[in-house]
Amino acid sequence: MPVLPRDFYARPTLDVARSLIGKVLVHDTPAGSASGIIVETEAYIGESDPACHAAPGPTARNAPLYGPPGIAYVYLNYGVHYLVNAVTESEGSPAAVLIRALEAHEGESLMRRRRARGTERSARAFITAELCRGPGNLTRALGISLRQNLRDLTAGPLRIEDRGLPARDVAWTPRIGITVGAESEWRCIAVGSDALSGIKRYLR
């Protein structure tokens, strides 16, 4: 399947956030392969964006944001959830797109086992739409952790592919789950997807 090239990511972040809707995030692991159709993204752009990890300037943690486009920036959020981002724009211009939700595409049984691990729910208890609903849930379902930080999304086991799926209607809303910069309408969603995370209002 065609993997998105580096030039895809070396563009304005909002353009990438929009273009990622309908693309497929894939992760091949020893346990098997799992993938999902991207239906929700959020843009984080530069040191002037108070919600972007680059807001304090360069640090050891946010170094991937300043690197080449098309690499994965994975971090642990509040010590609980791993979140996966695609670095965008030119090297030295810190920006990324957070992948917020997927529609399960391949490897659903593996996703179910991963989501059930460490919980009181059985693998069967999850409805398909909730397997990758939310940025922490999708990384758990796809087996993504800090080991995938700085992985090249244009090649290798963690990648994003264009499988020529039908175009989706999209809408922009304010970003969610943050306390600063929430006024920016930089969250892009596939309208009507059951896998969307968080609140579903603010459509325009």
Side-chain angles (χ1 to χ4, degrees):
M1 296 295 179
V3 179
L4 297 180
R6 201 164 312 282
D7 287 351
F8 176 93
Y9 302 97
R11 298 184 293 149
T13 305
L14 292 175
D15 292 346
V16 179
R18 166 63 181 86
S19 298
L20 281 173
I21 300 297
K23 303 301 188 289
V24 180
L25 178 63
V26 183
H27 192 205
D28 298 328
T29 71
S33 181
S35 70
I37 302 168
I38 299 171
V39 293
E40 183 179 354
T41 60
E42 275 182 344
Y44 291 87
I45 309 172
E47 295 175 356
S48 62
D49 177 1
C52 182
H53 283 183
T59 66
R61 182 194 190 200
N62 68 26
L65 290 174
Y66 292 83
I71 63 170
Y73 173 42
V74 183
Y75 60 87
L76 185 62
N77 193 43
Y78 297 119
V80 179
H81 302 294
Y82 297 109
L83 306 190
V84 61
N85 303 255
V87 175
T88 57
E89 308 203 9
S90 59
E91 188 165 359
S93 297
V97 174
L98 170 66
I99 311 300
R100 282 200 59 92
L102 309 172
E103 291 175 352
H105 190 55
E106 297 166 320
E108 185 173 326
S109 61
L110 177 57
M111 292 183 187
R112 290 177 177 278
R113 293 195 299 273
R114 285 171 170 159
R115 285 295 313 278
R117 191 175 301 145
T119 75
E120 296 180 356
R121 299 180 67 178
S122 70
R124 296 179 184 177
F126 291 89
I127 63 172
T128 300
E130 72 176 308
L131 287 173
C132 300
R133 178 185 289 153
N137 290 332
L138 74 86
T139 55
R140 186 178 296 110
L142 265 64
I144 298 171
S145 69
L146 290 179
R147 290 188 295 274
Q148 283 68 52
N149 190 35
L150 290 172
R151 292 289 176 89
D152 187 352
L153 294 172
T154 70
L158 181 65
R159 59 194 182 276
I160 302 178
E161 299 178 350
D162 182 354
R163 298 192 175 180
L165 299 176
R168 309 288 286 262
D169 291 332
V170 304
W172 292 91
T173 83
R175 295 179 293 188
I176 61 177
I178 55 177
T179 57
V180 293
E183 68 282 356
S184 297
E185 293 194 343
W186 290 354
R187 173 177 174 249
C188 190
I189 64 169
V191 176
S193 174
D194 291 335
L196 297 180
S197 68
I199 52 178
K200 300 174 180 64
R201 60 182 185 270
Y202 301 124
L203 298 186
R204 64 175 176 88

